[in-house]
Every structure is written in C-alpha cells, then in structure tokens.
Amino acid sequence: MFKIFDISLKLNGFPLEKAKAQLKEILAVPDRNFEDFTDKKKKAIAEFHLKNNPFYATLVGSNNFSDWNSLPVIKKSDYQRPLSERLSSGFTEKTVYINKTSGSSGDPVVFAKDKLYHALIWSNIIRRFGWYGVDFNHSWQGRFYGMPVDFINNLKLRFKDYLSKRYRFSIFDLSDRGLEKVVAKFASKRFDYINGYTSCVVLLAKYLQKNGLILKNICPTLKVCIVTSEMLFDDDKILIETYLGVPVVNEYGASELDVIAFQNPDDEWVVNAETLFVEILDENNNPLPNGREGKIVVTCLYNYAHPFIRYEVGDYGILDEKSTPKKPILKKLIGRTNDFAILPSGKKPAGMTFYSITKKLFNDDGNVKEFTIKQTKTDTFEIDYASERPLTESEIRTIENVFSDYLEPGLNYHFHRKDFLQRNAAGKLKQFTSLLKQS
C-alpha cells in the first residue's frame, strides 16, 4: 500500500530507511551490554561536540573532559544566542531540521537536529505507537495541538497534517458548542487514535460525561488516546478512559530532544534509552540513585548538528528502582523546576501538588471545567476558573480552609470566573505559575 507518511519524510531529506536500520541495531544490543554501549555513545557525542562545536567547548571550558560528571549541566538560558553560533562544523541552517520550543518555561529555544537523528526519532515513535495498533501510514489521527492563526501558515500546516493522516481540531474553542463540532467530526470520520494536550482531552471527556456519551460508540474505529505536554493525573486518566472508551497512553517529551518516556502496554512509563541518556541529579548536579527525586537531565546521543549534552529539561522526576540501563522506568514526574510556591514561612510546596488538591475540590460536582493558579505574592494566589456557574461563598471557604491546613494559614486567595481560560501561543494550558523570583 501507498506509504504517504514514510514518503513525505524521505522527500524532505530525512533518511528513514537508514534510521530504521540504526534503530534495529540499537535494539539488538543485549541487556547485559547496554550500559557499556551507552557509555561509548555518551563519550562519542561529547567528544564530537568538543572538537566540532566552539559553543559547546566554551561551555565546557576545554576541548576534552576527564569523566562524564565533570561535564557541565546546561540550562535553557545557555542557548539564548543565534542558532548559527551553536551549530557544529559541517552543518548549516539549510542542512538541518530547525524548530523552536513553546517558551512556556520562560526561555524559548531555537534548536536544530541533524536529519538522520530526526529520522531516528520518528523511527522510534513509529515503533512505540505500533504497540497500540497505530500505523502512521494508514491510521487517522484526531489531533489536539495548537495551530497558527495566519492563513498561509495555517494552510501549510493543514497540508502537512493531511500528508501525515492527521485532522487537527481547533483547541482555542473548547466550549460546549466547539466540542459538539469535535464529536460530530468523530461521528463522520474513521479516526484510529487521538493525540494531543492533556487538558484538551480532559475537556472533551468532561463534555462526553455531561452528555452521557462514549466516544468509542460514536467512532468505533478509535483504538487509543495518547496525551502529552501536560501532567496527567490518575483521576483524569480514569475519566478519559471511561468516556472515550479506549486506553489512555501517557507520553512525556521535549520538542528540542525527543520523546523522553512513553507508557507501554504493561502500564510502565518506559524511558527512551534508545536515543537518549536520562539522569536524575540533585541540586548540586550529583547523580542520584534510582528511587530518589531530582532534576531530570537529558543527553541526545545522536544529534551531531547541535549539542544537547547533560541538558536540564526543567522537570523533577524519579526513576524506578527496578530500572535497568536498557529499560529505565520513570516512576513519577513531579513538575517543573520553577513551579514551586514560596510561602511567608519559607516553605516551598510544589505547585502541581496543591494544584491537584484544588482539582479534587473543584471536581466534587463537575461544575468547574478547568482552572489555573498563579502566585503573585508570597501570601497571594490568583485562581482563574472556567465553569457553568460561579463558585459559592461556601465552596470558596471550603477551598481556603483546605489550603490553610495543607499550606499554612493567613494566605489570600482570589477567585476569578472566566468564560474560557487563555492558552499560550502553542495551545498549552499552564496550570501553575509563580511570579516570584525563585532562589
């Protein structure tokens, strides 16, 4: 059959067959040899960039290194210079894949990937999606991602989506009227799977719940829903699986890197050890044993165009104690490094933690569709929420009392009901934000 997805990658200069062969070789490395195999790849990519990338050599401070832990941990802010100054020798902006991050962390990054690495990424994504019966050449995707608003770029993206067998829904109108149109599209088209931002899929599930609908009954070809880019809470996963009627798969990734972890059919959040090396480090950048919480730091083992070596993603996480070099397992993703509240007492609770408490309180009767929390002062939080009706004074007092017990007394909470919540330019909903300077 006509493999339009594969062909479109090849026509754009991405050597898919070569990448598939390389991935096959990586997967064939025995478990007992995989740590040594990865160590050699780490050494090779670091030595290449030290020799061929003046930007990276300057960050390291020399053209060689004594051991892996002597290499610096790099932050997004280190990449705030023109891409042309960060490319390795032998690569130009015309010969690489270029994109940029959404900037939700405050430091947007323009990045590059060499074309073989980009093809390798897609080869591995194709393999993972295949676990759930998804074939990129033949399976239609219902896509809940952002899109450009200007006509020309929107048209280009729509054409690219068509070649990739994707139908992109507008996520900037997720009102009941907008979601009614979404459901109608599922009734008229044979979608195989859903892929998109967690918060958007949660809103779809809540709409289905309110209207007593199961999406699988409306679209019988639907097999699986893959959510990404935003936290997936256990109760949301149950909600989505119940009202979509298909399994929910949790993906964790970074556009400048690759998919970092992907849930397998055994419900394990398997870390991508094929193309990445993932470390968990403490605040002093020392490696932590499995089971301990720390900063997630990632190395791209095959990106020769642009160095991402010991790159601090901006998240905290825990690797499972049963992890192996070939099969690391992400036990828990805790949230953004800079998403901690700072209270008058000096306590620093994780923002996502009390976001989850508020979520449980808001979900008592299903009135509140979604919400965001913003800390503006050490004692002040602004809570925006979209709902069918305003919160009552009694409900607000209950929320404030729970926060006082969990956080500390004497804090101020301001609630603002909105018709809808503003998403960023990429269409993501940032659930907790602190405007305070983090120490």
Side-chain angles (χ1 to χ4, degrees):
M1 296 179 69
F2 194 55
K3 296 185 176 182
I4 193 167
F5 183 82
D6 288 8
I7 292 170
S8 65
L9 279 176
K10 293 172 186 176
L11 288 176
N12 282 289
F14 302 112
L16 188 61
E17 295 306 320
K18 185 176 181 180
K20 286 181 177 180
Q22 186 175 12
L23 179 61
K24 187 175 180 180
E25 291 175 2
I26 295 168
L27 294 170
V29 176
D31 291 22
R32 65 182 182 276
N33 299 336
F34 205 81
E35 184 172 15
D36 182 57
F37 174 81
T38 302
D39 284 344
K40 290 177 180 176
K41 293 299 178 183
K42 288 157 52 182
K43 185 173 185 290
I45 196 69
E47 288 181 342
F48 176 86
H49 285 303
L50 284 171
K51 181 180 179 181
N52 296 283
N53 193 295
F55 160 74
Y56 184 64
T58 300
L59 289 177
V60 174
S62 67
N63 289 103
N64 54 63
F65 65 104
S66 55
D67 62 82
W68 184 255
N69 292 328
S70 71
L71 292 172
V73 172
I74 304 174
K75 298 178 182 289
K76 286 181 170 66
S77 56
D78 293 317
Y79 293 99
Q80 300 306 308
R81 62 181 69 189
L83 177 63
S84 58
E85 298 177 12
R86 294 182 273 120
L87 290 176
S88 296
S89 300
F91 295 94
T92 69
E93 294 183 42
K94 292 184 178 180
T95 62
V96 297
Y97 168 80
I98 298 174
N99 208 333
K100 63 180 177 180
T101 64
S102 66
S104 59
S105 65
D107 289 310
V109 176
V110 177
F111 61 86
K113 298 174 183 177
D114 68 69
K115 291 195 171 183
L116 177 57
Y117 176 55
H118 190 64
L120 183 60
I121 289 172
W122 274 112
S123 298
N124 214 7
I125 291 173
I126 290 167
R127 179 180 72 92
R128 293 191 195 95
F129 277 56
W131 295 342
Y132 298 94
V134 172
D135 179 344
F136 280 22
N137 286 297
H138 306 113
S139 301
W140 271 99
Q141 175 193 131
R143 192 169 182 83
F144 290 85
Y145 278 77
M147 66 173 72
V149 294
D150 63 284
F151 178 77
I152 297 299
N153 284 324
N154 188 286
L155 192 64
K156 287 180 179 177
L157 187 60
R158 289 288 190 185
F159 180 67
K160 182 179 177 182
D161 282 343
Y162 175 77
L163 293 178
S164 301
K165 300 188 78 67
R166 302 187 298 232
Y167 181 86
R168 189 178 300 253
F169 294 100
S170 171
I171 62 174
F172 296 102
D173 179 15
L174 294 173
S175 63
D176 281 1
R177 185 176 179 182
L179 289 168
E180 182 182 2
K181 294 177 182 177
V182 169
V183 173
K185 191 67 178 180
F186 274 94
S188 65
K189 191 169 181 63
R190 294 168 57 86
F191 287 105
D192 294 274
Y193 66 111
I194 291 170
N195 191 10
Y197 299 148
T198 307
S199 62
C200 301
V201 179
V202 169
L203 278 182
L204 173 61
K206 287 183 176 180
Y207 173 84
L208 294 164
Q209 179 187 37
K210 185 173 74 171
N211 290 278
L213 302 171
I214 306 294
L215 196 60
K216 175 74 171 175
N217 294 340
I218 296 167
C219 181
T221 54
L222 196 63
K223 297 184 181 75
V224 67
C225 172
I226 296 158
V227 294
T228 189
S229 293
E230 299 163 342
M231 296 288 282
L232 174 65
F233 293 93
D234 290 341
D235 54 345
D236 281 339
K237 183 174 183 180
I238 293 169
L239 176 77
I240 295 169
E241 289 187 331
T242 300
Y243 290 97
L244 268 62
V246 296
V248 174
V249 175
N250 200 359
E251 178 188 81
Y252 166 50
S255 58
E256 65 270 38
L257 303 172
D258 194 346
V259 173
I260 298 172
F262 194 85
Q263 182 184 322
N264 70 9
D266 295 323
D267 204 26
E268 297 170 317
W269 217 358
V270 181
V271 172
N272 172 11
E274 295 83 44
T275 68
L276 303 177
F277 174 64
V278 176
E279 303 175 80
I280 304 294
L281 306 182
D282 66 17
E283 295 303 322
N284 296 314
N285 296 328
N286 298 310
L288 289 169
N290 293 343
R292 292 276 302 278
E293 173 190 329
K295 299 185 295 184
I296 298 176
V297 173
V298 181
T299 297
C300 287
L301 297 173
Y302 297 93
N303 189 0
Y304 287 91
H306 185 280
F308 281 110
I309 298 173
R310 306 199 85 198
Y311 171 67
E312 190 172 315
V313 179
D315 295 324
Y316 276 23
I318 302 171
L319 287 179
D320 200 296
E321 292 88 340
K322 64 182 179 182
S323 297
T324 66
K326 189 169 186 178
K327 189 182 177 183
I329 297 170
L330 187 61
K331 186 175 185 178
K332 190 174 183 181
L333 181 63
I334 291 142
R336 307 297 301 180
T337 307
N338 61 344
D339 286 351
F340 288 83
I342 302 174
L343 305 183
S345 66
K347 287 174 62 178
K348 291 183 66 176
M352 291 305 295
T353 304
F354 76 87
Y355 169 84
S356 64
I357 292 175
T358 313
K359 184 178 180 60
K360 287 182 173 63
L361 293 169
F362 278 170
N363 278 348
D364 283 345
D365 65 358
N367 170 47
V368 176
K369 296 179 180 179
E370 56 183 357
F371 64 95
T372 59
I373 302 172
K374 182 182 295 181
Q375 184 179 21
T376 57
K377 301 177 183 177
T378 54
D379 66 348
T380 304
F381 295 85
E382 306 287 338
I383 301 173
D384 292 346
Y385 67 97
S387 66
E388 296 184 0
R389 60 166 178 80
L391 291 171
T392 65
E393 288 299 321
S394 175
E395 288 171 328
I396 288 174
R397 281 197 301 272
T398 297
I399 293 168
E400 291 176 341
N401 289 337
V402 171
F403 271 165
S404 291
D405 292 340
Y406 178 74
L407 300 172
E408 59 188 56
L411 302 177
N412 302 306
Y413 305 97
H414 302 145
F415 294 82
H416 311 282
R417 182 173 177 246
K418 308 282 186 180
D419 291 331
F420 59 90
L421 298 187
Q422 292 289 340
R423 286 173 154 76
N424 67 15
K428 298 180 185 178
L429 184 71
K430 188 161 174 54
Q431 290 135 335
F432 177 81
T433 304
S434 175
L435 300 185
L436 308 184
K437 185 178 180 180
Q438 302 282 331
S439 58

